[in-house]
Amino acid sequence: MIKGTLLLGRRACSASSTQRLRSRFGGFMLSSPPRAAMSSAPSSGKVGEKEKAPEPTVIPGVALSAATSAVGFTGAAALSSALSIPVSGIPMSILLGIAIKNNNFGIEVPSAAGKGITYSTKTILQGGIVCVAAKLSFMELLTTGSVGIPVVVGSVGAGLAFIPWAGAMAGLPRKMSLLLTAGTSICGVTAITALSPAIDAEKRDVAVAVANTVAFGTVGMLCYPYLFNALCGSSEQVGMCLGVAIHDTSQVLGSAMSYRETFDDEVALRVAAVTKLTRNLGLAVAIPALTYAYKKEMEIGEVKGSEEDTISGLNTFKKYVPPFLVAFIGVSALRTVGDIVVPEDATLYKDAVTFIGSDVSKYALGTAMAGVGLSTNAASLKGVGWKPFAVGGAGALVVGGTGFSI
């Protein structure tokens, strides 16, 4: 009892002494942070560096997109051989990517691949588009395509005017209508992939536009050679109709070669190839025009920007013409200058142009479209309905019908 009393007395004295010291020195000397706060304070030095999680890289996603594209191109080549018709590897890549994303093969896309897949659908896509320009020479247009220029201008103009209007009447999303316009009016999947980053299109809209282009292009490739043989009055008209009525370049050449084999007509093949090349050059004009039109529409009803943004021509140009399209036009201009300056027998120049314009662009766009597929959930495609295909089909008929204007 006495010991307990003494212990309580000592504690009381200690507490009173501590209180006096705190009141005298402001509580700084004897105050200490709580243990919990000390333990939760961020550590510095090597210990903190070890605890920091590494930032994700683009390598896993790019590798997955490239591998998916490689399988898609291999499958397209196998189908082409088995069916004796050209099958493009780029649509196959996006379809395979969608199948993998939605676990149709029992493969789950790892979360670590997300950054690289996004990189593929943006940076690699834009790089592939720029590489396509290496195939486009304005000299070839002037020397071999001048006869078909009126028909090509009419077909592209008809598509640019009709399809956006039809899409609005059908209630389609504006971006989807513009993607259908680009794919149907110019050069199929390549035009869709060129426009999509410029208007920041949704992956669902890209997938629907690609499916639309592939569907009607395939039907046209199989049916149009026989239809145009019955309706057209000359080989030149057959070639021009094939060149403007079918969307993708590979499909145009496939249908023209089929026509040559069936009807022994070399002229139609040559005219179809030149007409399609001329039509492809519309990328340099139509994509900036569609981008400008879309962004101007988005500004309707919005508050005007600052005076600097309003009066500066450079700011306006940057706003409506994405940098990769500037690079696209620049590469096409370089190709044109090269065709003028470089001798015709310069094989190294021709090999380089073919490698960049055909091989690099093909696999870059395939990787990008595989990335689009790998990030597209099939559930987002539900409810799309028949209207996009009705608009795409009507647009294909309008664009193809211009071939009969000569």
Side-chain angles (χ1 to χ4, degrees):
M1 183 69 178
I2 296 175
K3 290 181 179 181
T5 304
L6 291 174
L7 181 60
L8 290 173
R10 289 176 181 176
R11 290 179 177 176
C13 291
S14 175
S16 60
S17 300
T18 301
Q19 184 65 31
R20 286 196 301 271
L21 288 172
R22 284 181 177 174
S23 62
R24 183 175 181 179
F25 295 103
F28 293 107
M29 293 181 63
L30 296 179
S31 63
S32 60
R35 293 182 180 272
M38 292 178 66
S39 61
S40 62
S43 58
S44 59
K46 295 182 179 181
V47 176
E49 292 177 359
K50 291 181 179 179
E51 294 177 353
K52 185 178 179 180
E55 294 185 1
T57 66
V58 301
I59 295 176
V62 171
L64 179 60
S65 299
T68 303
S69 174
V71 176
F73 277 101
T74 302
L79 284 176
S80 297
S81 177
L83 302 176
S84 298
I85 59 174
V87 178
S88 176
I90 295 178
M92 288 290 292
S93 298
I94 190 173
L95 294 175
L96 183 59
I98 292 174
I100 294 175
K101 170 66 176 179
N102 294 276
N103 205 24
N104 290 347
F105 300 118
I107 303 173
E108 186 172 349
V109 178
S111 58
K115 186 174 183 179
I117 291 174
T118 301
Y119 182 86
S120 298
T121 60
K122 293 183 178 180
T123 305
I124 294 180
L125 170 62
Q126 294 176 3
I129 294 166
V130 172
C131 290
V132 169
K135 297 192 298 184
L136 306 179
S137 171
F138 295 104
M139 283 300 298
E140 292 185 5
L141 171 63
L142 294 176
T143 56
T144 62
S146 57
V147 176
I149 288 178
V151 175
V152 171
V153 172
S155 67
V156 174
L160 294 178
F162 173 78
I163 300 176
W165 173 82
M169 293 297 99
L172 298 184
R174 184 59 174 166
K175 294 179 182 179
M176 183 184 293
S177 294
L178 292 178
L179 292 175
L180 290 173
T181 301
T184 304
S185 303
I186 309 171
C187 55
V189 176
T190 303
I192 293 170
T193 56
L195 181 62
S196 61
I199 63 174
D200 195 23
E202 302 292 335
K203 293 180 176 60
R204 183 194 70 163
D205 295 342
V206 174
V208 171
V210 169
N212 204 301
T213 297
V214 172
F216 289 109
T218 302
V219 171
M221 180 179 62
L222 297 175
C223 299
Y224 285 169
Y226 304 96
L227 178 64
F228 292 157
N229 180 69
L231 298 179
C232 296
S234 65
S235 298
E236 288 79 7
Q237 189 177 36
V238 171
M240 287 188 182
C241 286
L242 291 175
V244 299
I246 302 174
H247 307 328
D248 200 68
T249 302
S250 62
Q251 294 171 336
V252 170
L253 295 179
S255 65
M257 286 187 287
S258 174
Y259 187 89
R260 182 190 64 181
E261 296 297 324
T262 304
F263 302 105
D264 192 22
D265 193 336
E266 187 71 29
V267 174
L269 171 62
R270 186 172 66 253
V271 173
V274 172
T275 302
K276 189 65 181 74
L277 173 64
T278 307
R279 189 177 165 202
N280 289 351
L281 291 172
L283 277 173
V285 178
I287 300 304
L290 290 172
T291 303
Y292 176 82
Y294 171 75
K295 293 189 176 181
K296 288 295 290 184
E297 289 176 3
M298 294 299 101
E299 290 178 356
I300 295 177
E302 294 183 358
V303 180
K304 296 291 185 181
S306 64
E307 183 179 359
E308 180 181 0
D309 291 338
T310 303
I311 66 175
S312 172
L314 180 60
N315 286 343
T316 302
F317 180 81
K318 290 180 178 179
K319 184 175 183 180
Y320 295 116
V321 183
F324 76 91
L325 286 182
V326 177
F328 176 91
I329 297 172
V331 171
S332 182
L334 286 176
R335 166 67 195 275
T336 303
V337 173
D339 287 351
I340 298 173
V341 176
V342 178
E344 293 184 2
D345 58 350
T347 57
L348 181 60
Y349 168 75
K350 293 182 178 179
D351 291 343
V353 166
T354 301
F355 175 72
I356 296 173
S358 297
D359 297 333
V360 176
S361 65
K362 178 175 70 173
Y363 291 109
L365 294 179
T367 299
M369 289 297 98
V372 170
L374 289 168
S375 53
T376 300
N377 195 323
S380 65
L381 299 177
K382 293 180 179 179
V384 171
W386 55 270
K387 290 183 178 180
F389 295 92
V391 171
L397 291 176
V398 170
V399 171
T402 59
F404 294 97
S405 61
I406 60 172

